């Protein structure tokens, strides 16, 4: 009986000891699991934080990528526009250069024509100078002026408008040179002093100066065969007199309509070149 009780007591103590050990092991296991859980939660939180940071970084990178795409697209568009603009500028520059070259050719043509015209005037001037001599021939403003004193042309009577015989040899020399140059336009300009007229034979000084111009035109036409279509008679009364002694002027001028026609034709030819 004592053995049974002893055995039972030992068994009970042993059982309690084993259970105590198991409980201790279980508690230690629970602590270990709790620690692992805590560690796992910490790692999970770190992972989540890193994930959020990574997502933020990814979004930032995506925004940067989109910005770069937009910037690249803008650059490509600007480059295309710049290329088009450069091509347009190049085309405009080419057209401008062509226009400038055409203008240069036209200016050269006009300059050559003017030079030729000036040379013609000088040659004509020299021819008249040699023919009639003296200082009564001048050149200015592109015109040749032959100034003939009225007392030489019309005699001592300051109211006369009839050509004096003494003036005819000089008029013959002038007419000869005019007939050599068929392309010259001739203006005869009559002048007079401020005279008191009777208002009958001569109405006034306009009448006197116009008749003097007409007399010179008439003798050049009838006596020396100068083409009347080339001549024009102009009366200036007393208002064109430069000095005390009045003069009649023979003004020689090229046919400007013909001159400009030649220049225009030359400019057309130059623009085609």
């Amino acid at each position: 009986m004592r053995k049974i009780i002893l055995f039972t007591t030992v068994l009970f103590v042993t059982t309690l000891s084993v259970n105590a050990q198991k409980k201790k092991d279980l508690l230690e296991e629970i602590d270990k699991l709790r620690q692992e859980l805590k560690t796992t939660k910490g790692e999970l939180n770190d992972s989540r934080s890193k994930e959020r940071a990574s997502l933020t970084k990814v979004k930032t990178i995506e925004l940067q990528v989109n910005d770069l795409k937009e910037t690249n697209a803008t650059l490509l568009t600007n480059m295309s526009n710049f290329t088009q603009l450069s091509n347009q500028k190049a085309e405009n520059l080419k057209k401008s250069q062509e226009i400038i070259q055409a203008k240069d050719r036209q200016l050269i043509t006009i300059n050559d024509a003017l030079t030729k015209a000036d040379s013609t005037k000088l040659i004509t001037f020299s021819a008249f100078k040699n023919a009639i001599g003296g200082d009564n021939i001048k050149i200015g403003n592109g015109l040749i002026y032959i100034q003939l004193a009225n007392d030489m042309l019309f005699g001592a009577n300051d109211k006369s408008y009839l050509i004096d015989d003494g003036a005819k040899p000089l008029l013959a020399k002038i007419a000869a040179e005019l007939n050599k140059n068929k392309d010259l336009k001739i203006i005869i300009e009559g002048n007079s002093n401020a005279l008191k007229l009777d208002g009958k034979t001569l109405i006034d000084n306009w009448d006197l100066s116009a008749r003097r111009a007409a007399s010179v035109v008439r003798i050049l036409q009838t006596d020396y065969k100068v083409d009347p279509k080339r001549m024009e008679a102009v009366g200036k009364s007393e208002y064109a007199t430069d000095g005390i002694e009045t003069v009649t002027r023979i003004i020689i001028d090229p046919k400007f309509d013909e001159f400009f026609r030649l220049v225009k034709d030359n400019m057309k030819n130059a623009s085609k070149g």
Side-chain angles (χ1 to χ4, degrees), residues 65-99:
V65 169
N66 290 334
D67 288 341
L68 288 173
K69 286 182 178 179
E70 291 178 0
T71 302
N72 187 52
T74 302
L75 288 173
L76 290 175
T77 301
N78 290 340
M79 184 177 294
S80 176
N81 293 337
F82 179 76
T83 301
Q84 293 178 359
L85 184 61
S86 297
N87 292 336
Q88 185 64 41
K89 285 185 176 180
E91 183 66 24
N92 292 340
L93 180 60
K94 181 180 178 182
K95 290 181 179 179
S96 297
Q97 289 175 339
E98 291 175 353
I99 292 173

Side-chain angles (χ1 to χ4, degrees), residues 171-199:
L171 291 176
K173 292 179 180 179
I174 294 172
E177 291 301 322
L178 292 175
N179 287 329
K180 289 178 184 178
N181 297 274
K182 303 294 184 181
D183 59 342
L184 297 177
K185 180 180 178 181
I186 309 154
I187 300 174
I188 309 299
E189 180 188 282
N191 297 280
S192 70
N193 285 324
L195 303 174
K196 290 184 179 181
L197 303 171
D198 57 14

Side-chain angles (χ1 to χ4, degrees), residues 16-213:
L16 288 174
S17 178
V18 170
N19 288 337
Q21 183 64 40
K22 286 183 177 180
K23 183 178 180 180
K24 181 181 179 182
D25 292 341
L26 184 59
L27 290 172
E28 289 178 353
E29 186 67 26
I30 289 172
D31 289 338
K32 183 179 179 181
L33 289 173
R34 284 177 177 172
Q35 187 63 36
E36 289 179 354
L37 180 60
K38 184 178 181 181
T39 301
T40 301
K41 285 183 178 180
E43 291 176 350
L44 180 60
N45 290 332
D46 289 342
S47 297
R48 287 176 177 174
S49 296
K50 290 180 180 180
E51 182 183 8
R52 286 193 296 270
S54 297
L55 289 174
T56 302
K57 188 175 182 180
V58 168
K59 288 182 179 179
T60 301
I61 292 174
E62 287 179 348
L63 290 174
Q64 291 176 348
V65 169
N66 290 334
D67 288 341
L68 288 173
K69 286 182 178 179
E70 291 178 0
T71 302
N72 187 52
T74 302
L75 288 173
L76 290 175
T77 301
N78 290 340
M79 184 177 294
S80 176
N81 293 337
F82 179 76
T83 301
Q84 293 178 359
L85 184 61
S86 297
N87 292 336
Q88 185 64 41
K89 285 185 176 180
E91 183 66 24
N92 292 340
L93 180 60
K94 181 180 178 182
K95 290 181 179 179
S96 297
Q97 289 175 339
E98 291 175 353
I99 292 173
I100 290 173
Q101 290 174 354
K103 294 297 183 183
D104 285 341
R105 289 194 295 269
Q106 291 176 355
L107 288 173
I108 291 172
T109 301
I110 293 174
N111 184 67
D112 291 343
L114 289 172
T115 301
K116 183 178 179 181
D118 288 341
S119 298
T120 301
K121 289 186 180 74
L122 288 173
I123 292 172
T124 305
F125 173 79
S126 298
F128 278 98
K129 187 77 171 177
N130 293 332
I132 64 178
D135 297 326
N136 54 348
I137 181 169
K138 298 178 180 179
I139 188 169
N141 299 323
L143 303 172
I144 297 172
Y145 298 89
I146 301 175
Q147 298 190 145
L148 304 176
N150 282 341
D151 57 359
M152 185 274 296
L153 279 175
F154 307 107
N157 183 357
D158 57 4
K159 297 179 183 178
S160 173
Y161 53 86
L162 300 177
I163 299 295
D164 189 84
D165 289 339
K168 291 182 178 180
L170 179 58
L171 291 176
K173 292 179 180 179
I174 294 172
E177 291 301 322
L178 292 175
N179 287 329
K180 289 178 184 178
N181 297 274
K182 303 294 184 181
D183 59 342
L184 297 177
K185 180 180 178 181
I186 309 154
I187 300 174
I188 309 299
E189 180 188 282
N191 297 280
S192 70
N193 285 324
L195 303 174
K196 290 184 179 181
L197 303 171
D198 57 14
K200 297 178 181 178
T201 305
L202 292 169
I203 300 173
D204 52 24
N205 287 287
W206 287 106
D207 189 17
L208 175 59
S209 62
R211 291 194 185 199
R212 284 177 169 175

